[in-house]
Every structure is written in structure tokens, then in C-alpha cells.
Amino acid sequence: MKTSIVIATYNKLEYTQLCIESIRKFTSQHDYEIIVVDNHSTDDTVAWLSVQSDIKAIFNEENLGFPKACNQGIEISTGDNILLLNNDTIVTENWLTNLLTCLYSSEEVGAVGSVTNSCSYGQSIQVPYQSIEEMYQFAAQFNQSSNPELWEERLKLVGYCMLMKKQVLDEVGLLDERFTPGNYEDDDLSLRIKLAGYKLYLCKDTFIHHFGSVSFRKDAEAYNKLLRTNQDKFLEKWGFDPERAIIYNGLVKQIEAAPNDSIHILEIGSGCGGTLLYIKNQFPRAEVYGVEPNTFAAKVAGKVTSHIYLSLDEVLDLHKEGFFDIIITGNLWGLNEKSVENIKLLQKLLNDNGQLIVMAPNLLHYRNIKKMITGSIAPSELQNWKLSDIEVTFKAADLLELEITGLVEDVFPQDREFLQRLAEMAGLNSTQPYEIHNYLVKARKSNKNQSVKSLINNLLLQNEVQSSVNKLAKIDAEAILNVIEDAGHAQEVELLNYIAVQFIEHRKPDLALPFLSRAFELDAGHDPTLFNLGLAMYTQGHDQLALDWLSLISNRDDKLEYWVKQIEAGLYAKSYEKHKLKFLLRRLENDVEGEASLAELLRMLGNGEVTIEEISQIVENDMVEKSQLLTQLAVSCYEHELQDMVFPFFEKALEFDSDNQDALFHLSFILYKFGEFDSARLYLDRVFIKNNEIDDLKQKLGLSDLIIVNHLVKMNQSLDL
């Protein structure tokens, strides 16, 4: 059995040589031929190919593109199999052996492909190597033997390394040359093979190296334009966008089920069935169903499962409420007046413990905001979701245990400044809310009481404790208390304490209080309840309240005394720090060793030992020259580069005395230094005293009238006095 290896080339001789040499080295055990079709290379490719005795070569007088070149090679091939191989690949040990084993494992198999280090559509894997030699060692280990458990059925294969039976290619036809010079011809060919009734497999037991888009990536703009052009050609030919072959593997990974569970899974917007096929690979015993309104894409998805419907209404007509264990969708319907009603339909289709997993596009993604500003945003994009919309809508649809995760994607460097300004205008310290492209939303339809009982039992049996605590934390405390009360537990007070302790131990002490309060209502003299109330108060920083609760305990053992002493020590330390802070501020106000006091205050601020709020409270309650003292601190923070504290101190200073001339001048001067000329003028206009420094600053600002500056909104908000 012979394999014809067809390679199209255009320049990049060094890659072609590496590719050919690796074929010769690692394919000697097979009957094969190498066919190279050169698209009028201008380097030494033609000269080198001309002297290679083991290569059939075709030399085109112009660049005819990848599909045409491949077809030329196929037409002169003599093999039983056709292998399309990019010239920017390096094949490896056992590569062809493993691929052929999969290809001939069944008459149903029409084409197979390998995994690599650089590829789209989930055909790439993480690799550890740093050199070609290390790559060979890695691949030798990776490709040791063919393993059917590592064959994954696919909707399409990327054409950098695609092995097909010649008879299958004869049946479905050659590459479609309308996609010249390249891109989407492999999507098209895969689709034709699939529709002819054959299966395509990704061999995850076979690795080759791929440099990746060597010919195309030199001109990214032209490459992207070509992608759009050929995408349109694909849409014109097939009636659907090639993106409908997408695999939402991230959604599938959220499914909470064992691999061998017999479950019913419905995908809304299943496209050509790529995700459904992925689900079948991950959950072999699952029955998959899909809703796809595009009739052409639905026809392809019908090759994956017979349960394909054109509308959700068909599903509702054919399947009773509670039929599905899982419902997923990679693009949630747009937000409108029917959103709650639509999601309620999905909720009805779920069984009592069913899971809804969806992707909701973020309305406030920075690219959408850019489109809003320029007026180019599409009406459908305006129906994307905000975080608050998701929370309100899903809760209104009676879906519980809502988990929302923001998914970010890489930001173009030129967009970083725009993102930063968005965050500043919103008063945020992070740009992440605008980097979120989609929200991953998980919700569960469940019998709330049964779910609560199950979670409590997990805690009692110490099963999945962390997960159970996290899930209980998302359920209203009153609902949990009602379940405990209705259960008529013989040791209700002990159970309430047990749940409270779990929250305390998992750093959620505030959530423990409702359970401890109910336990105290049931038995005010229960020492463990009193102790846990004290512990909960202490862990939240309420030391005196903690001591008050602990003082009510009747049985005073060594454990209790240890905690009392520890809390008293902490209380004393806090009291000392408070008195120390007051002492330093008073010395600074009265200029008694003022420099040393100021240095210590700045050190404490810089280390986070004290906060602006703590200082402001002491100044308000105990100082005389309130505004002047805070002004001095603001200026000192500026001089010592504690920039985040400068404007809050000025704000507090002007709250106590809005006409403090010293504060107004220094604030204006610092704003000027920051380039905030308009804001600096506003405050300088309120300065009535005269001196050289003030006159000099006014002159500088007067000369800056024509300067246009983008305001730092964060500062403006801090100074909204």
C-alpha cells in the first residue's frame, strides 16, 4: 500500500528541506512517494528540487495557490492514500504508521490528522521542547504506539497534515480551487467527506512539528483580508459561516457528570455539530440533541446525531419537561423583553438537578464600547449582556446556584490606553471588566431543600467539604435555616454550630452569624454557641464584642482562657496603635519634633499600617488645626511619592475648610505638575492671597490656555468637592 505525500511550496527552501529530510528519515518502513508542486519560487527551491532523485516535482510558471498546487500533485499521484502536508512541518518517528493504523481501522474512516504544536481548531498541544533535537526526543516518546483510545472523531481536520484514502477523495472530489490562494479549502474538503458518510479522526497519539503559516503570516493585513474573502465564498457555497463548525470545549468542560454517565444533553445553536461530537467523545454514553435554525448547518449536524431540530419549539413538542440533564449554548440569545420567558423554557426542559451552561457576550467589552462611540455597533450587539442583566434574568427564571465567570482575551497593544481611560472614567482600579469578552454562566435547576440537605450531609460526612461550603454560601441563610428547622433534627443547636464552624474555618465568618444567632435563640446558655460567637466576632476584627460573648461562658477551661488572653493582647495592641497615631498627629500639629513625627506617619502610611480614614477620624475628633494638618500630610505624600494618598488628603482638608488658601494653592500646584491645567485653574482662582509663587503659577497657567489635555478622571472624581 503506497502513500502519496503531496507538498505545495513557495519559497522558504530551508523549511522544505527540513520537511523532506524528516520524511526520508522517519518514513522508510512504508511505500511512499513525495510529490512537490512549486508555485514559482524565487529563491533556490527550484534548483534544489531539480536534483532530488526521489521527488516528483511540478514547476508552475506562476503562483497558482495552495488548492491548485495540491490538486496538481494529487492528479499525478499513484498511491492508495493521499497525504497533504505543509512544507513548514517536520515529521517524526512512527508518524505515518500511527496515522495509517487509524485510517484503516474501519471502512467508515475517510481521513485522519495529527496533533502539533501550532494549529487552530484544537489540534495543537502544549510542548516542552526548545530545539529541533528536543522535539525529536519528545515526538519519539509521544508517538510510541498507536492507541485507539486517543483517536477523537472530528467535524473537520486542518490541512497542514491530512491523510485520506484515495478512493474517498475520488468520491468527494479534489480541493475546491475557488478558495485560492488558500484558507477554508480544508474546511470545505472535510465537510464533503463528512457528508459522504465518512468519519474524520484526530490522532492524539501522533505528533509532528509545525512552524505555522510561514507563507501567509508575513503580511497580517492581507492575510486577514483573504480570510474574510474566503469566508464569504464558503458562506456562498454552503449557506452557513464556517465558524458554525466551532467547538465550545470550554462549555463541555463545565459539565458536572462522570464520563460513563447516561445523560441527555441539548445544545442550542449547535451549528454543524462540532460541540455535540466533542461531547460524544467525552461522554460516550450521552445522548446528544441539538437546535440549529440554519437548515444547511443542521444537515451537517445530522451526521453527528439524529436528534437535530430547527427550533426550540420542536424540542418542546417532542420531549417532556425535565427531559434533559444538561443544556448548553455558546451564544445566549440577545437581551430583550422575552429573555426571562426564553430562559424559563430551558429551565422547564431541565430535570430537577439539571444544569444550564451558557456563554453570554459582554455588552461592555471595550470593542463594543468603541463601536458605540463611533456609531458602528450592530443592533444585535446592543442586545449583549451586562453582568447585572445576567443575575436578574436568571434569578427571575428560577435558576439557582448561579456561577458567573468573566472570560478575557488578549488585548491589542494599541487598545491599552483606551482601556485605561475607560477604567478611570468608571473609577475602577482595573481594566478587566472591559476585557471580558464573554460571561460563562452556570446555573442549576434543583429542588432547593433537597440540595441543601445534600450539602449539609456532605459536611457531616466530610465529603467535598470546600465545594459544599462554597455552594451553601450562595444559598440564602434563611432557606438553609428553614430546611434545618423542618427536618426536626434532634441536635439542632449542635448542627447549627457545626455549619457555622465550617464557615468560620473556610474564612466566611460573616456567614456563620445567622446560624449562631438561631442557636443562641434556641439555647442562650449553650457554651459552644457562645464560644463560636466570640470566635466569629474576633475573626471579623470585633475584639471587644468577642470578649463580651466569651465572658458569658460558664465553663471556663484552658482553651477559653487562651483565646481571651490572645484577644485582649490584640485589643491592647490596637489601642496602643490608635494612641500612637493620635500622639504623632498631635506632635506634628504643634511642631514638636515635627520632622520625626511626619517621617513615622509617612512610613506607617506607606506600609499600610494606618489608613487615610483612620487619620481623618482622629484629626476630626482630636485636632484643632484640622485642615492645615491634612494639607501638610497631602503635600508630604506628594513629595514622598505616595501619589494615591495626595488627593484624598486634600479632599478631607477642604471639607474642614473650603477656603484654606494653603490647601488651594498646593492642590493647584500639584495638579499643574500632573498636567491638569484646567483643574489647577479652578482651584487657583479661589486663592486670594498674593505672593511670588502664586503669581508665578498663575502666569504659567495663563500661558497654557491653548494646551489640550485629556483629564485623568480618577483625579477629578477624587476631587469632586
PDB file of all heavy atoms in Angstrom, residues 515-546:
ATOM      1  N   PHE A 515     -26.550  31.409  61.727  1.00  0.00           N
ATOM      2  CA  PHE A 515     -26.699  30.080  62.324  1.00  0.00           C
ATOM      3  C   PHE A 515     -26.404  30.118  63.827  1.00  0.00           C
ATOM      4  O   PHE A 515     -27.083  29.463  64.619  1.00  0.00           O
ATOM      5  CB  PHE A 515     -25.785  29.094  61.597  1.00  0.00           C
ATOM      6  CG  PHE A 515     -26.052  29.041  60.124  1.00  0.00           C
ATOM      7  CD1 PHE A 515     -25.282  29.788  59.237  1.00  0.00           C
ATOM      8  CD2 PHE A 515     -27.102  28.297  59.620  1.00  0.00           C
ATOM      9  CE1 PHE A 515     -25.546  29.776  57.883  1.00  0.00           C
ATOM     10  CE2 PHE A 515     -27.374  28.273  58.261  1.00  0.00           C
ATOM     11  CZ  PHE A 515     -26.607  29.020  57.393  1.00  0.00           C
ATOM     12  N   LEU A 516     -25.408  30.920  64.208  1.00  0.00           N
ATOM     13  CA  LEU A 516     -25.101  31.065  65.630  1.00  0.00           C
ATOM     14  C   LEU A 516     -26.195  31.844  66.352  1.00  0.00           C
ATOM     15  O   LEU A 516     -26.532  31.545  67.506  1.00  0.00           O
ATOM     16  CB  LEU A 516     -23.742  31.749  65.795  1.00  0.00           C
ATOM     17  CG  LEU A 516     -22.536  30.937  65.301  1.00  0.00           C
ATOM     18  CD1 LEU A 516     -21.268  31.774  65.349  1.00  0.00           C
ATOM     19  CD2 LEU A 516     -22.368  29.662  66.114  1.00  0.00           C
ATOM     20  N   SER A 517     -26.758  32.836  65.667  1.00  0.00           N
ATOM     21  CA  SER A 517     -27.850  33.611  66.271  1.00  0.00           C
ATOM     22  C   SER A 517     -29.062  32.727  66.523  1.00  0.00           C
ATOM     23  O   SER A 517     -29.704  32.803  67.585  1.00  0.00           O
ATOM     24  CB  SER A 517     -28.235  34.780  65.360  1.00  0.00           C
ATOM     25  OG  SER A 517     -27.156  35.667  65.210  1.00  0.00           O
ATOM     26  N   ARG A 518     -29.396  31.839  65.554  1.00  0.00           N
ATOM     27  CA  ARG A 518     -30.524  30.930  65.741  1.00  0.00           C
ATOM     28  C   ARG A 518     -30.230  29.932  66.877  1.00  0.00           C
ATOM     29  O   ARG A 518     -31.109  29.631  67.692  1.00  0.00           O
ATOM     30  CB  ARG A 518     -30.806  30.175  64.441  1.00  0.00           C
ATOM     31  CG  ARG A 518     -31.979  29.196  64.516  1.00  0.00           C
ATOM     32  CD  ARG A 518     -33.325  29.905  64.745  1.00  0.00           C
ATOM     33  NE  ARG A 518     -33.625  30.828  63.678  1.00  0.00           N
ATOM     34  CZ  ARG A 518     -34.230  30.504  62.533  1.00  0.00           C
ATOM     35  NH1 ARG A 518     -34.589  29.252  62.312  1.00  0.00           N
ATOM     36  NH2 ARG A 518     -34.464  31.421  61.612  1.00  0.00           N
ATOM     37  N   ALA A 519     -28.993  29.452  66.943  1.00  0.00           N
ATOM     38  CA  ALA A 519     -28.616  28.530  68.019  1.00  0.00           C
ATOM     39  C   ALA A 519     -28.732  29.212  69.381  1.00  0.00           C
ATOM     40  O   ALA A 519     -29.192  28.608  70.361  1.00  0.00           O
ATOM     41  CB  ALA A 519     -27.191  28.031  67.793  1.00  0.00           C
ATOM     42  N   PHE A 520     -28.352  30.511  69.444  1.00  0.00           N
ATOM     43  CA  PHE A 520     -28.440  31.265  70.701  1.00  0.00           C
ATOM     44  C   PHE A 520     -29.902  31.462  71.110  1.00  0.00           C
ATOM     45  O   PHE A 520     -30.251  31.402  72.285  1.00  0.00           O
ATOM     46  CB  PHE A 520     -27.740  32.614  70.536  1.00  0.00           C
ATOM     47  CG  PHE A 520     -27.734  33.463  71.778  1.00  0.00           C
ATOM     48  CD1 PHE A 520     -26.917  33.141  72.856  1.00  0.00           C
ATOM     49  CD2 PHE A 520     -28.554  34.584  71.869  1.00  0.00           C
ATOM     50  CE1 PHE A 520     -26.913  33.929  74.007  1.00  0.00           C
ATOM     51  CE2 PHE A 520     -28.559  35.372  73.005  1.00  0.00           C
ATOM     52  CZ  PHE A 520     -27.734  35.041  74.080  1.00  0.00           C
ATOM     53  N   GLU A 521     -30.769  31.693  70.093  1.00  0.00           N
ATOM     54  CA  GLU A 521     -32.199  31.836  70.384  1.00  0.00           C
ATOM     55  C   GLU A 521     -32.766  30.549  70.984  1.00  0.00           C
ATOM     56  O   GLU A 521     -33.608  30.577  71.887  1.00  0.00           O
ATOM     57  CB  GLU A 521     -32.960  32.177  69.099  1.00  0.00           C
ATOM     58  CG  GLU A 521     -32.686  33.571  68.563  1.00  0.00           C
ATOM     59  CD  GLU A 521     -33.314  33.785  67.200  1.00  0.00           C
ATOM     60  OE1 GLU A 521     -34.101  32.902  66.769  1.00  0.00           O
ATOM     61  OE2 GLU A 521     -33.034  34.810  66.558  1.00  0.00           O
ATOM     62  N   LEU A 522     -32.295  29.410  70.481  1.00  0.00           N
ATOM     63  CA  LEU A 522     -32.794  28.121  70.958  1.00  0.00           C
ATOM     64  C   LEU A 522     -32.248  27.753  72.337  1.00  0.00           C
ATOM     65  O   LEU A 522     -32.918  27.094  73.133  1.00  0.00           O
ATOM     66  CB  LEU A 522     -32.436  27.020  69.946  1.00  0.00           C
ATOM     67  CG  LEU A 522     -33.106  27.132  68.568  1.00  0.00           C
ATOM     68  CD1 LEU A 522     -32.514  26.116  67.605  1.00  0.00           C
ATOM     69  CD2 LEU A 522     -34.617  26.921  68.693  1.00  0.00           C
ATOM     70  N   ASP A 523     -30.998  28.166  72.621  1.00  0.00           N
ATOM     71  CA  ASP A 523     -30.379  27.844  73.912  1.00  0.00           C
ATOM     72  C   ASP A 523     -29.340  28.902  74.240  1.00  0.00           C
ATOM     73  O   ASP A 523     -28.178  28.816  73.821  1.00  0.00           O
ATOM     74  CB  ASP A 523     -29.734  26.451  73.851  1.00  0.00           C
ATOM     75  CG  ASP A 523     -29.198  25.999  75.214  1.00  0.00           C
ATOM     76  OD1 ASP A 523     -29.219  26.811  76.168  1.00  0.00           O
ATOM     77  OD2 ASP A 523     -28.747  24.845  75.314  1.00  0.00           O
ATOM     78  N   ALA A 524     -29.760  29.905  75.036  1.00  0.00           N
ATOM     79  CA  ALA A 524     -28.886  31.039  75.341  1.00  0.00           C
ATOM     80  C   ALA A 524     -27.730  30.662  76.260  1.00  0.00           C
ATOM     81  O   ALA A 524     -26.758  31.417  76.381  1.00  0.00           O
ATOM     82  CB  ALA A 524     -29.700  32.170  75.978  1.00  0.00           C
ATOM     83  N   GLY A 525     -27.807  29.497  76.900  1.00  0.00           N
ATOM     84  CA  GLY A 525     -26.742  29.104  77.806  1.00  0.00           C
ATOM     85  C   GLY A 525     -25.831  28.034  77.252  1.00  0.00           C
ATOM     86  O   GLY A 525     -25.039  27.435  78.003  1.00  0.00           O
ATOM     87  N   HIS A 526     -25.879  27.807  75.963  1.00  0.00           N
ATOM     88  CA  HIS A 526     -25.067  26.756  75.337  1.00  0.00           C
ATOM     89  C   HIS A 526     -23.645  27.280  75.132  1.00  0.00           C
ATOM     90  O   HIS A 526     -23.399  28.140  74.284  1.00  0.00           O
ATOM     91  CB  HIS A 526     -25.704  26.361  73.994  1.00  0.00           C
ATOM     92  CG  HIS A 526     -25.069  25.170  73.354  1.00  0.00           C
ATOM     93  ND1 HIS A 526     -24.397  25.253  72.155  1.00  0.00           N
ATOM     94  CD2 HIS A 526     -25.003  23.863  73.735  1.00  0.00           C
ATOM     95  CE1 HIS A 526     -23.954  24.056  71.813  1.00  0.00           C
ATOM     96  NE2 HIS A 526     -24.319  23.179  72.770  1.00  0.00           N
ATOM     97  N   ASP A 527     -22.691  26.775  75.910  1.00  0.00           N
ATOM     98  CA  ASP A 527     -21.324  27.307  75.888  1.00  0.00           C
ATOM     99  C   ASP A 527     -20.664  27.252  74.508  1.00  0.00           C
ATOM    100  O   ASP A 527     -20.021  28.230  74.095  1.00  0.00           O
ATOM    101  CB  ASP A 527     -20.464  26.556  76.908  1.00  0.00           C
ATOM    102  CG  ASP A 527     -20.724  27.038  78.335  1.00  0.00           C
ATOM    103  OD1 ASP A 527     -21.440  28.059  78.489  1.00  0.00           O
ATOM    104  OD2 ASP A 527     -20.215  26.411  79.280  1.00  0.00           O
ATOM    105  N   PRO A 528     -20.771  26.147  73.742  1.00  0.00           N
ATOM    106  CA  PRO A 528     -20.144  26.133  72.411  1.00  0.00           C
ATOM    107  C   PRO A 528     -20.675  27.236  71.494  1.00  0.00           C
ATOM    108  O   PRO A 528     -19.926  27.805  70.698  1.00  0.00           O
ATOM    109  CB  PRO A 528     -20.499  24.746  71.865  1.00  0.00           C
ATOM    110  CG  PRO A 528     -20.657  23.905  73.091  1.00  0.00           C
ATOM    111  CD  PRO A 528     -21.297  24.805  74.095  1.00  0.00           C
ATOM    112  N   THR A 529     -21.976  27.549  71.601  1.00  0.00           N
ATOM    113  CA  THR A 529     -22.537  28.641  70.792  1.00  0.00           C
ATOM    114  C   THR A 529     -21.895  29.970  71.183  1.00  0.00           C
ATOM    115  O   THR A 529     -21.509  30.772  70.314  1.00  0.00           O
ATOM    116  CB  THR A 529     -24.062  28.735  70.983  1.00  0.00           C
ATOM    117  OG1 THR A 529     -24.662  27.504  70.581  1.00  0.00           O
ATOM    118  CG2 THR A 529     -24.647  29.865  70.152  1.00  0.00           C
ATOM    119  N   LEU A 530     -21.776  30.211  72.492  1.00  0.00           N
ATOM    120  CA  LEU A 530     -21.168  31.457  72.971  1.00  0.00           C
ATOM    121  C   LEU A 530     -19.710  31.555  72.516  1.00  0.00           C
ATOM    122  O   LEU A 530     -19.240  32.624  72.100  1.00  0.00           O
ATOM    123  CB  LEU A 530     -21.256  31.530  74.497  1.00  0.00           C
ATOM    124  CG  LEU A 530     -22.680  31.548  75.072  1.00  0.00           C
ATOM    125  CD1 LEU A 530     -22.642  31.407  76.584  1.00  0.00           C
ATOM    126  CD2 LEU A 530     -23.408  32.829  74.667  1.00  0.00           C
ATOM    127  N   PHE A 531     -18.995  30.433  72.600  1.00  0.00           N
ATOM    128  CA  PHE A 531     -17.597  30.428  72.175  1.00  0.00           C
ATOM    129  C   PHE A 531     -17.485  30.725  70.679  1.00  0.00           C
ATOM    130  O   PHE A 531     -16.651  31.526  70.238  1.00  0.00           O
ATOM    131  CB  PHE A 531     -16.954  29.073  72.489  1.00  0.00           C
ATOM    132  CG  PHE A 531     -15.512  28.989  72.068  1.00  0.00           C
ATOM    133  CD1 PHE A 531     -14.511  29.501  72.883  1.00  0.00           C
ATOM    134  CD2 PHE A 531     -15.151  28.420  70.848  1.00  0.00           C
ATOM    135  CE1 PHE A 531     -13.175  29.433  72.488  1.00  0.00           C
ATOM    136  CE2 PHE A 531     -13.829  28.359  70.450  1.00  0.00           C
ATOM    137  CZ  PHE A 531     -12.840  28.865  71.282  1.00  0.00           C
ATOM    138  N   ASN A 532     -18.328  30.080  69.864  1.00  0.00           N
ATOM    139  CA  ASN A 532     -18.274  30.292  68.414  1.00  0.00           C
ATOM    140  C   ASN A 532     -18.687  31.706  68.029  1.00  0.00           C
ATOM    141  O   ASN A 532     -18.165  32.273  67.059  1.00  0.00           O
ATOM    142  CB  ASN A 532     -19.155  29.262  67.707  1.00  0.00           C
ATOM    143  CG  ASN A 532     -18.565  27.865  67.771  1.00  0.00           C
ATOM    144  OD1 ASN A 532     -17.350  27.695  67.825  1.00  0.00           O
ATOM    145  ND2 ASN A 532     -19.428  26.854  67.785  1.00  0.00           N
ATOM    146  N   LEU A 533     -19.641  32.291  68.773  1.00  0.00           N
ATOM    147  CA  LEU A 533     -19.992  33.695  68.537  1.00  0.00           C
ATOM    148  C   LEU A 533     -18.793  34.594  68.810  1.00  0.00           C
ATOM    149  O   LEU A 533     -18.510  35.536  68.063  1.00  0.00           O
ATOM    150  CB  LEU A 533     -21.173  34.096  69.419  1.00  0.00           C
ATOM    151  CG  LEU A 533     -22.559  33.714  68.885  1.00  0.00           C
ATOM    152  CD1 LEU A 533     -23.609  33.809  69.989  1.00  0.00           C
ATOM    153  CD2 LEU A 533     -22.938  34.605  67.701  1.00  0.00           C
ATOM    154  N   GLY A 534     -18.079  34.313  69.907  1.00  0.00           N
ATOM    155  CA  GLY A 534     -16.874  35.081  70.209  1.00  0.00           C
ATOM    156  C   GLY A 534     -15.826  34.924  69.127  1.00  0.00           C
ATOM    157  O   GLY A 534     -15.195  35.901  68.694  1.00  0.00           O
ATOM    158  N   LEU A 535     -15.638  33.692  68.654  1.00  0.00           N
ATOM    159  CA  LEU A 535     -14.650  33.428  67.606  1.00  0.00           C
ATOM    160  C   LEU A 535     -15.024  34.129  66.303  1.00  0.00           C
ATOM    161  O   LEU A 535     -14.168  34.695  65.609  1.00  0.00           O
ATOM    162  CB  LEU A 535     -14.543  31.920  67.387  1.00  0.00           C
ATOM    163  CG  LEU A 535     -13.369  31.421  66.540  1.00  0.00           C
ATOM    164  CD1 LEU A 535     -12.050  31.815  67.165  1.00  0.00           C
ATOM    165  CD2 LEU A 535     -13.447  29.910  66.360  1.00  0.00           C
ATOM    166  N   ALA A 536     -16.322  34.100  65.960  1.00  0.00           N
ATOM    167  CA  ALA A 536     -16.779  34.766  64.733  1.00  0.00           C
ATOM    168  C   ALA A 536     -16.541  36.268  64.806  1.00  0.00           C
ATOM    169  O   ALA A 536     -16.113  36.903  63.830  1.00  0.00           O
ATOM    170  CB  ALA A 536     -18.258  34.469  64.501  1.00  0.00           C
ATOM    171  N   MET A 537     -16.812  36.860  65.972  1.00  0.00           N
ATOM    172  CA  MET A 537     -16.569  38.291  66.146  1.00  0.00           C
ATOM    173  C   MET A 537     -15.080  38.617  66.017  1.00  0.00           C
ATOM    174  O   MET A 537     -14.681  39.593  65.382  1.00  0.00           O
ATOM    175  CB  MET A 537     -17.082  38.742  67.515  1.00  0.00           C
ATOM    176  CG  MET A 537     -18.593  38.732  67.678  1.00  0.00           C
ATOM    177  SD  MET A 537     -19.426  39.911  66.593  1.00  0.00           S
ATOM    178  CE  MET A 537     -20.117  38.812  65.377  1.00  0.00           C
ATOM    179  N   TYR A 538     -14.262  37.768  66.643  1.00  0.00           N
ATOM    180  CA  TYR A 538     -12.813  38.005  66.635  1.00  0.00           C
ATOM    181  C   TYR A 538     -12.253  37.927  65.218  1.00  0.00           C
ATOM    182  O   TYR A 538     -11.435  38.759  64.819  1.00  0.00           O
ATOM    183  CB  TYR A 538     -12.130  36.973  67.537  1.00  0.00           C
ATOM    184  CG  TYR A 538     -10.624  37.033  67.503  1.00  0.00           C
ATOM    185  CD1 TYR A 538      -9.943  38.181  67.909  1.00  0.00           C
ATOM    186  CD2 TYR A 538      -9.878  35.927  67.065  1.00  0.00           C
ATOM    187  CE1 TYR A 538      -8.557  38.225  67.875  1.00  0.00           C
ATOM    188  CE2 TYR A 538      -8.498  35.973  67.027  1.00  0.00           C
ATOM    189  CZ  TYR A 538      -7.843  37.127  67.433  1.00  0.00           C
ATOM    190  OH  TYR A 538      -6.474  37.187  67.392  1.00  0.00           O
ATOM    191  N   THR A 539     -12.679  36.931  64.454  1.00  0.00           N
ATOM    192  CA  THR A 539     -12.157  36.777  63.095  1.00  0.00           C
ATOM    193  C   THR A 539     -12.600  37.906  62.170  1.00  0.00           C
ATOM    194  O   THR A 539     -12.004  38.106  61.116  1.00  0.00           O
ATOM    195  CB  THR A 539     -12.610  35.432  62.492  1.00  0.00           C
ATOM    196  OG1 THR A 539     -14.029  35.326  62.575  1.00  0.00           O
ATOM    197  CG2 THR A 539     -11.969  34.273  63.213  1.00  0.00           C
ATOM    198  N   GLN A 540     -13.621  38.657  62.577  1.00  0.00           N
ATOM    199  CA  GLN A 540     -14.054  39.817  61.780  1.00  0.00           C
ATOM    200  C   GLN A 540     -13.488  41.130  62.312  1.00  0.00           C
ATOM    201  O   GLN A 540     -13.837  42.205  61.831  1.00  0.00           O
ATOM    202  CB  GLN A 540     -15.585  39.893  61.750  1.00  0.00           C
ATOM    203  CG  GLN A 540     -16.228  38.726  61.007  1.00  0.00           C
ATOM    204  CD  GLN A 540     -17.728  38.845  60.943  1.00  0.00           C
ATOM    205  OE1 GLN A 540     -18.281  39.587  60.139  1.00  0.00           O
ATOM    206  NE2 GLN A 540     -18.408  38.121  61.823  1.00  0.00           N
ATOM    207  N   GLY A 541     -12.632  41.024  63.340  1.00  0.00           N
ATOM    208  CA  GLY A 541     -11.979  42.224  63.861  1.00  0.00           C
ATOM    209  C   GLY A 541     -12.736  42.943  64.958  1.00  0.00           C
ATOM    210  O   GLY A 541     -12.346  44.043  65.359  1.00  0.00           O
ATOM    211  N   HIS A 542     -13.823  42.339  65.477  1.00  0.00           N
ATOM    212  CA  HIS A 542     -14.612  42.969  66.540  1.00  0.00           C
ATOM    213  C   HIS A 542     -14.165  42.400  67.894  1.00  0.00           C
ATOM    214  O   HIS A 542     -14.858  41.577  68.514  1.00  0.00           O
ATOM    215  CB  HIS A 542     -16.106  42.720  66.311  1.00  0.00           C
ATOM    216  CG  HIS A 542     -16.586  43.146  64.962  1.00  0.00           C
ATOM    217  ND1 HIS A 542     -16.395  44.416  64.467  1.00  0.00           N
ATOM    218  CD2 HIS A 542     -17.247  42.448  63.981  1.00  0.00           C
ATOM    219  CE1 HIS A 542     -16.915  44.499  63.251  1.00  0.00           C
ATOM    220  NE2 HIS A 542     -17.431  43.315  62.933  1.00  0.00           N
ATOM    221  N   ASP A 543     -12.994  42.831  68.340  1.00  0.00           N
ATOM    222  CA  ASP A 543     -12.374  42.219  69.514  1.00  0.00           C
ATOM    223  C   ASP A 543     -13.203  42.395  70.786  1.00  0.00           C
ATOM    224  O   ASP A 543     -13.351  41.448  71.579  1.00  0.00           O
ATOM    225  CB  ASP A 543     -10.976  42.807  69.725  1.00  0.00           C
ATOM    226  CG  ASP A 543     -10.039  42.446  68.585  1.00  0.00           C
ATOM    227  OD1 ASP A 543     -10.469  41.716  67.679  1.00  0.00           O
ATOM    228  OD2 ASP A 543      -8.884  42.894  68.591  1.00  0.00           O
ATOM    229  N   GLN A 544     -13.735  43.586  71.006  1.00  0.00           N
ATOM    230  CA  GLN A 544     -14.478  43.816  72.244  1.00  0.00           C
ATOM    231  C   GLN A 544     -15.769  42.992  72.269  1.00  0.00           C
ATOM    232  O   GLN A 544     -16.143  42.424  73.302  1.00  0.00           O
ATOM    233  CB  GLN A 544     -14.803  45.302  72.408  1.00  0.00           C
ATOM    234  CG  GLN A 544     -15.386  45.658  73.771  1.00  0.00           C
ATOM    235  CD  GLN A 544     -14.488  45.223  74.917  1.00  0.00           C
ATOM    236  OE1 GLN A 544     -13.327  45.615  74.994  1.00  0.00           O
ATOM    237  NE2 GLN A 544     -15.003  44.390  75.807  1.00  0.00           N
ATOM    238  N   LEU A 545     -16.444  42.902  71.125  1.00  0.00           N
ATOM    239  CA  LEU A 545     -17.643  42.069  71.049  1.00  0.00           C
ATOM    240  C   LEU A 545     -17.301  40.602  71.301  1.00  0.00           C
ATOM    241  O   LEU A 545     -18.068  39.872  71.949  1.00  0.00           O
ATOM    242  CB  LEU A 545     -18.309  42.212  69.675  1.00  0.00           C
ATOM    243  CG  LEU A 545     -19.155  43.468  69.449  1.00  0.00           C
ATOM    244  CD1 LEU A 545     -19.600  43.542  67.995  1.00  0.00           C
ATOM    245  CD2 LEU A 545     -20.365  43.461  70.372  1.00  0.00           C
ATOM    246  N   ALA A 546     -16.145  40.184  70.800  1.00  0.00           N
ATOM    247  CA  ALA A 546     -15.701  38.813  71.028  1.00  0.00           C
ATOM    248  C   ALA A 546     -15.542  38.546  72.520  1.00  0.00           C
ATOM    249  O   ALA A 546     -16.002  37.516  73.040  1.00  0.00           O
ATOM    250  CB  ALA A 546     -14.388  38.556  70.294  1.00  0.00           C
TER     251      ALA A 546
END
